[in-house]
Amino acid sequence: MRIVIAEDSVLLREGLSQILARFGHEVVADVGDAADLAAAVDEHEPDVVVTDVRMPPGFRDEGLRAALALRAKRPGLPILVLSQYVEQSYAADLLETGGGVGYLLKDRVGEVAEFVAALERVAAGGTVIDPEVVRGLLARRRADSPLERLTERERQVLALMAEGRSNGAIARALTVSEAAVVKHVGSIFTRLDLHQTPEDHRRVLAVVTFLRAAR
Amino acid sequence: MAGNPLRFVCSSWPWRSVLYVATGPLVGALWAVLVVTLAIAGVVLAPVVVGVALLAGIPLSAVGLAAVERRRLRLVDSRPAPSPHRRPAQAGLRAWAAFRLRETATWRELGYALLAVALGMVDVVVAFTFVVGSGLATASPMLVEQGDQIQFGSGGTVDEPGEAWALAVVGVGLIVVTLYALSTLAGARAALARTLLVRPVEEELVEVRASRARMADAFEAERRRIERDLHDGAQQRLTGLIMTLGLAKLDSGAPELIGKAQDEARAALAELRDLVRGIHPSVLTDRGLRAAVESLAERSPVPVEVDVELPDRPPEGTESAAYFVIAEALANVAKHSGATRARVVVRPGLCVEVHDDGTGGARVDGGTGLQGLADRVAVYDGSVRLSSPPGGPTILQVEIPCES
């Protein structure tokens, strides 16, 4: 994959580049702020973008804003957002732009193989939401939430879908057969009224519903 | 003045009053001369710019008079008499003059000065009548001895020592009356001066409050700085360490050991994150109160319903005070209340309400950290009300006035 990295800390930028190179991916540009990110994407047309949330000049959520702007300009451009903090409202904003987005705590990079796999899923149009966000969402369901229509097992499956797991991986995590997972996924789409759209898109919409449910 | 007349006369009050009443017309006359000079010169020179400057000098001269008057006020009024003027933002005479001319205090002082000149004439007549009357009466035996006559209008004359001594007794009484009269006059004039020339106590309170709020804002800025330093420093380094260890694990013959080191680093980072969140959460800075409260609710072990409706973001200090009140309230709900659910409502104004269905009995002074938050809210002129009867429910209401 050809990757553009935006991260203002030189230490982390180099760490990320090393890890990605190690797995045979090419970092075509690494930049330190949001403006340079937009320029680098225009110049290199990468397969996937990895960006920090907090960057110069304001050190607030420039990276996230840049990501949303890039998605608006180039729908479907895969972007993985990394942050020292994960907040559900940020995840929801990203997910609303469709599939091919990820939102992870920065230190997940430490599990190198899993991180690279997550990045590959994002590049392939999947979604990856940090388990911490997912945990928070499961903890505060409301009575009027559409998630109440799901069974406990279906909620577990949906949470793992939100983390970006494939049906096979979900089956392994819940120690059930993959066929059972497929059945649960179909049932989730039906109960959330998501039967009109193609499969990949429905997975994203289900996760969006999941994120919205707590708001 | 209401006590024993002898004690009153022997105290310094009447003499200070006499001095106050006597110097008043003097100061007024000097100012009047200055103003008339300025006015004439100003009108004559009006075609030239200097003339306009001279005319502008008239209200400004009242500022000087007012300063003198506030000093004179100390003769009869021991309370502090701060100037109502503010410090000009820029240095230089022209900036000072322009600033003063825009202040209402300056024009109030000009009004006082004109009034003082008019009243000064009355003062002179009144004081003269009392002083001369009582003085002549008292001195009458001496005058009669020298062969003078004392005439009372057309009513009669005193020219015998006997009558003169009787008159002198009346004169001494008149002196006491004069002292009372002049003290009363001084009191009235001092009250007028205080009303028009001295910054009201209420305004001073506002000033104190504003300076407290400024201090709280400075603390707030400091917390943000600390948060950023930790984010850019320790947090990034720990994250870098975790990444490097992750790479090392791939090549190492002892991945378990490196995994353990990674876990340690992760635990340290998680602790640091919680600490930083307690100092100042970045989601509050980035996205405001609603997102920050939702983030709190996500982490709360008790289910929390969040209902925040704010069309505009409140000022930073107010927003932050509201956030920390809610954070503390939710922490108390989780720790002490035994509640199964809670609800946070925020409306513009800024009104915050936190309800829970717990067992009640919460107290602001019960060592729950609410006292510190009440203090923090008070800095912004806000109030905290807590209703928590035994058996519940508990309702915490916070109001922090702000424009939005």
Side-chain angles (χ1 to χ4, degrees), chain A residues 4-201:
Chain A
V4 168
I5 296 175
E7 160 67 66
D8 62 310
S9 153
V10 179
L11 180 77
L12 300 190
R13 207 157 65 204
E14 284 177 356
L16 273 170
S17 298
Q18 267 183 29
I19 288 170
L20 293 169
R22 173 73 188 254
F23 282 77
H25 297 301
E26 186 192 354
V27 175
V28 289
D30 56 352
V31 298
D33 67 55
D36 288 351
L37 171 60
V41 168
D42 283 340
E43 190 188 334
H44 297 283
E45 305 269 339
D47 298 319
V48 60
V49 171
V50 179
T51 180
D52 185 13
V53 167
R54 186 140 108 171
M55 279 195 291
F59 296 97
R60 292 172 75 157
D61 55 356
E62 284 81 0
L64 183 85
R65 284 166 202 263
L68 294 174
L70 278 174
R71 294 279 295 185
K73 197 174 154 197
R74 301 162 174 268
L77 172 71
I79 300 185
L80 174 63
V81 176
L82 295 176
S83 179
Q84 283 291 356
Y85 303 90
V86 284
E87 300 286 353
Q88 170 247 320
S89 60
Y90 291 49
D93 282 1
L94 275 171
L95 254 292
E96 265 175 23
T97 65
V101 290
Y103 181 54
L104 288 177
L105 267 178
K106 254 186 201 177
D107 49 288
R108 306 277 180 221
V109 181
E111 292 307 316
V112 177
E114 279 181 34
F115 167 71
V116 174
L119 185 62
E120 282 162 358
R121 280 203 299 276
V122 170
T127 54
V128 178
I129 300 299
D130 197 274
E132 197 174 299
V133 176
V134 173
R135 215 176 17 249
L137 289 171
L138 282 179
R140 56 178 297 248
R141 293 200 318 271
R142 292 219 309 243
D144 57 348
S145 152
L147 298 187
E148 294 305 308
R149 289 180 233 151
L150 305 184
T151 65
E152 192 56 43
R153 177 61 90 183
E154 285 163 359
R155 278 196 288 270
Q156 286 172 351
V157 171
L158 181 56
L160 291 167
M161 275 166 64
E163 286 174 23
R165 313 277 189 102
S166 66
N167 286 352
I170 294 172
R172 280 193 297 283
L174 298 178
T175 53
V176 294
S177 72
E178 197 169 333
V181 172
V182 171
K183 201 171 131 263
H184 286 311
V185 170
S187 167
I188 290 169
F189 291 159
T190 311
R191 289 181 202 251
L192 296 180
D193 299 321
L194 300 173
H195 30 70
Q196 299 297 330
T197 41
E199 159 88 25
D200 275 359
H201 195 42

Side-chain angles (χ1 to χ4, degrees), chain B residues 38-98:
Chain B
L38 281 173
I40 293 171
V43 170
V44 171
L45 295 173
V48 197
V49 180
V50 181
V52 179
L54 289 175
L55 289 176
I58 293 175
L60 294 177
S61 72
V63 174
L65 175 87
V68 173
E69 285 296 293
R70 278 190 292 274
R71 289 190 152 258
R72 253 176 19 90
L73 194 58
R74 289 186 203 164
L75 280 171
V76 290
D77 188 344
S78 55
R79 291 174 295 169
S83 161
H85 292 290
R86 300 191 181 281
R87 196 186 293 265
Q90 292 166 303
L93 182 65
R94 185 182 292 206
W96 175 84

Side-chain angles (χ1 to χ4, degrees), chain B residues 111-352:
Chain B
Y112 171 87
L114 295 170
L115 201 60
V117 171
L119 290 177
M121 293 180 209
V122 178
D123 289 354
V124 169
V125 174
V126 172
F128 186 80
T129 312
F130 271 102
V131 169
V132 170
S134 58
L136 269 184
T138 310
S140 58
M142 275 183 291
L143 296 171
V144 169
E145 200 157 314
Q146 285 168 14
D148 291 344
Q149 277 192 349
I150 297 164
Q151 188 125 22
F152 290 98
S154 57
T157 54
V158 171
D159 51 8
E160 282 178 29
E163 285 171 330
W165 281 110
L167 187 59
V169 173
V170 176
V172 171
L174 269 178
I175 288 180
V176 176
V177 171
T178 302
L179 291 178
Y180 271 99
L182 291 183
S183 297
T184 307
L185 182 64
R189 293 300 308 279
L192 181 70
R194 178 163 281 279
T195 309
L196 291 175
L197 304 181
V198 174
R199 181 168 50 180
V201 180
E202 180 56 30
E203 226 174 286
E204 267 180 86
L205 272 182
V206 169
E207 188 65 25
V208 169
R209 230 177 262 147
S211 90
R212 264 195 320 182
R214 274 198 298 277
M215 208 149 87
D217 286 344
F219 277 126
E220 188 59 34
E222 187 61 13
R223 294 166 82 102
R224 271 166 220 256
R225 194 188 61 72
I226 293 171
E227 187 260 345
R228 214 173 104 182
D229 285 356
L230 284 173
H231 176 271
D232 295 346
Q235 282 183 313
Q236 301 285 48
R237 279 179 191 283
L238 276 172
T239 310
L241 175 64
I242 292 168
M243 278 189 203
T244 312
L245 287 172
L247 265 178
K249 203 158 57 172
L250 297 176
D251 304 322
S252 166
E256 300 82 16
L257 216 54
I258 293 183
K260 246 180 127 178
Q262 254 188 328
D263 290 344
E264 287 297 317
R266 259 196 214 103
L269 188 59
E271 273 176 30
L272 193 58
R273 248 177 217 143
D274 285 345
L275 176 74
V276 169
R277 221 194 292 269
I279 294 172
H280 194 95
S282 56
V283 62
L284 180 63
T285 319
D286 294 353
R287 312 214 127 185
L289 205 49
R290 185 184 155 147
V293 173
E294 274 171 357
S295 174
L296 278 175
E298 257 169 64
R299 271 187 296 283
S300 165
V302 177
V304 180
E305 194 184 328
V306 178
D307 177 6
V308 179
E309 271 175 33
L310 287 178
D312 301 301
R313 284 186 72 165
E316 281 185 357
T318 315
E319 186 178 59
S320 172
Y323 170 82
F324 282 104
V325 167
I326 295 168
E328 183 65 29
L330 290 181
N332 286 338
V333 168
K335 267 187 281 182
H336 309 296
S337 75
T340 57
R341 56 193 307 122
R343 183 175 149 83
V344 179
V345 181
V346 182
R347 291 287 177 270
L350 182 75
C351 305
V352 174

